[in-house]
Amino acid sequence: MLDRKTKSRVFLRSMLVQACWNFENMQSVGFLYAILPGLEKIYAGEPDRIREAAKRHVEFFNTHPYFSSHLAAMSLAFEEKIQKGEVEPSAVNSAKVGLMGSLGAIGDSFFWGSLKPFVSLMSVLAALVNPYLGIVLLVVAYNYFHLRMRIVGFRMSLASPNGIYQYLKENNFAEKNEYIRAMVMIFLGVYLGFFISRILPVDQKFVFTGIQFLVSLCLVIALEFIYRKIAATSEIVVFSAMFVVLISLVMG
Amino acid sequence: MEISLTTKVAVLILLCGIIYLDRVAVLQMMIHRPIAIAVITGALFNRLPECVTLGILLEMLWVSRLPVGASVPPDDTGAALFGTVAVAYLSFSREVGFADIALIGSASVFVGELGREVDILIRRMNGKISRYAVSGVDVGDLETVRSCIYASIVLWLMAGVLLSFSWIVLGILAGKWLVPAIPQYVISPFLVMYLIIPATGAVSVYQHCRVSNKIAFFHMALASGAIAFMIFEMGVF
């Protein structure tokens, strides 16, 4: 069994899984670095078996960085069984390869696709009230979910090789995604509403402001169409800016 | 005791160099987001409202460009750093309007894309380091793995400090000399970019979010948000 200190070292090192991120084997060196203290503990006094285990884990590896803690724990749970001769050494890589793609997709969708925009929007709206509140909310709210998920998942995955499946079953990420994305849509609307309100002349006549408001709405809908059919974010901004410069030079 | 501007710039370079690590190599705790950079720069230069306005503008622009697989998103940390430094330095010489902020925000897009190229370059260099680590494991030398991870972190840190230095210098040049030299008739129309930049980010998030009733949620909130903020601006409350 791994002691508390080794578990902590593996957990902390799993935060560096992307340190050596590259286009060839992606996170594999970072992953091996994370589980190395665990391997040295499991195969203590058996240097040849440590080397064999290290070779098993230096192959291509890519998942969502937050789920690397889970996969590191699961791999060590497997390695303990391999050391006792209860499972074949190839089982750990089969499980890892089978899970890393799925966990990558879940993590990308949940953390990058839902939680990050949600917390970003919350912090932006909070920053309108107080900038320091915005930054505190960003760091605290995001990392509450992030670190909690990592710690709970790491513990469950380390308990047994099947612990990670239990973790995924208990945390219905698809359902959470649905709720968070609905909130993202609402906050996104308010965020954009803020910018529309800023460029409108509030001291002008009500009708004039109303027309400008409708024009702004049409602009947003046009941008939706352009983004969906024609160009990416950076291109839209660059071409719009060039258009603005051109117009100002012609008019000026 | 008054801290000199040079000291503040040096502190910002070091701080942002470390914060750059959060983007890919270490933790990913979101302290590298534009809004966080804007608050740090604004607090340091005592120009919080101006810097935060730019941070809010850039926050959502690339949030839906996900680092999935081998895809590398633009460097929003660098874009925010360049933009906020430029805004702060511009505000030392004259009052900064929304059009100025939108102009600098538009220029920040180039910085973001340039930073992305540097990010890709570092990942390629990491490829060489990783090959060295793999060959070390093949001959049974596990110390190589540790050394390679440390080397990679040092590489990311050095790149972060260098990028921070470059963006801050560019920001100072833009805020001190470049933007003040642009005639007002060119700057004023950039007010429309004050809507286009956040709207582009917002529509990209909108398109990527698959959720039922999103059209209703988004447009209702947009209209009510705009009206609520307008009423607030009019001083009703």
Side-chain angles (χ1 to χ4, degrees), chain A residues 13 15-16 18-26 29-30 32-33 36 40 50-51 54-55 58 62 65-66 108 112-113 116-117 120-121 123-124 127-128 131-132 135 138-139 142-143 146-147 178 181-182 184-186 188-200 202 209 213 216-217 219-220 223-224 227-228 233-234 236-238 240-241 244-245 248-249 252, chain B residues 24-31 33 35-36 39 43 48 52 56-57 59-62 66-70 98 106 109-110 113 120 123 126-127 129-131 133-134 137-138 140 142 145-146 149-150 152-153 156 185-186 189-200 202-212 214 217-219 221-223 226 229-230 233-234:
Chain A
R13 283 178 173 217
M15 307 263 185
L16 303 177
Q18 297 212 115
C20 196
W21 200 106
N22 60 85
F23 293 106
E24 289 157 35
N25 47 27
M26 295 198 169
V29 178
L32 176 58
Y33 175 74
L36 212 47
E40 283 168 345
I50 297 177
R51 274 183 225 126
K55 277 184 190 174
V58 84
N62 187 39
Y66 298 168
D108 289 336
W112 295 159
K116 193 160 100 173
S120 279
L121 282 163
S123 65
V124 160
L128 296 175
Y132 295 109
I135 192 171
L138 175 78
V139 175
Y142 187 83
N143 291 304
H146 157 215
L147 291 175
E178 187 79 7
R181 286 183 174 187
V184 167
M185 282 302 114
I186 294 169
L188 202 61
V190 176
Y191 167 77
L192 213 47
F194 165 76
F195 285 99
I196 290 178
S197 77
R198 277 294 158 106
I199 64 161
L200 295 180
V202 289
T209 307
F213 174 67
S216 305
L217 271 184
L219 183 68
V220 172
L223 282 173
E224 270 178 58
Y227 181 77
R228 198 171 65 238
T233 44
S234 301
I236 293 176
V237 174
V238 169
S240 305
V244 168
V245 171
S248 61
L249 288 176
Chain B
V24 181
V26 183
L27 295 170
Q28 294 95 37
M29 292 179 90
M30 297 302 126
I31 48 169
R33 298 295 308 153
I35 187 75
V39 172
L48 208 49
V52 168
I56 289 171
L57 193 76
E59 178 65 27
M60 301 307 291
L61 184 61
W62 291 303
L66 311 180
V68 177
F98 288 142
S106 307
V109 172
F110 291 103
E113 291 295 338
I120 291 170
R123 288 168 198 242
N126 267 342
I129 295 175
S130 106
R131 256 177 266 151
V134 172
V137 172
D138 282 342
L142 299 180
V145 176
R146 290 187 188 95
I149 288 290
Y150 300 148
S152 289
I153 291 174
W156 282 110
Y185 70 87
V186 176
F190 267 89
L191 187 63
V192 73
M193 293 303 292
Y194 192 68
L195 177 61
I196 287 179
I197 295 172
T200 307
V203 297
S204 72
V205 176
Y206 176 83
Q207 293 297 340
H208 285 266
C209 270
R210 289 197 185 91
V211 64
S212 46
K214 76 171 181 179
F217 282 143
F218 177 67
H219 290 102
L222 191 156
F229 281 115
M230 262 160 62
E233 285 283 302
M234 284 169 184

Side-chain angles (χ1 to χ4, degrees), chain A residues 5 24 46 68 83 100 106 113 120 142 169 177 221 230 240-241 249 252:
Chain A
K5 192 183 163 194
E24 289 157 35
E46 299 174 279
S68 62
Q83 197 267 340
M100 69 184 186
I106 293 170
S120 279
Y142 187 83
K169 207 173 158 187
N177 246 349
I221 291 164
I230 304 168
S240 305
L249 288 176

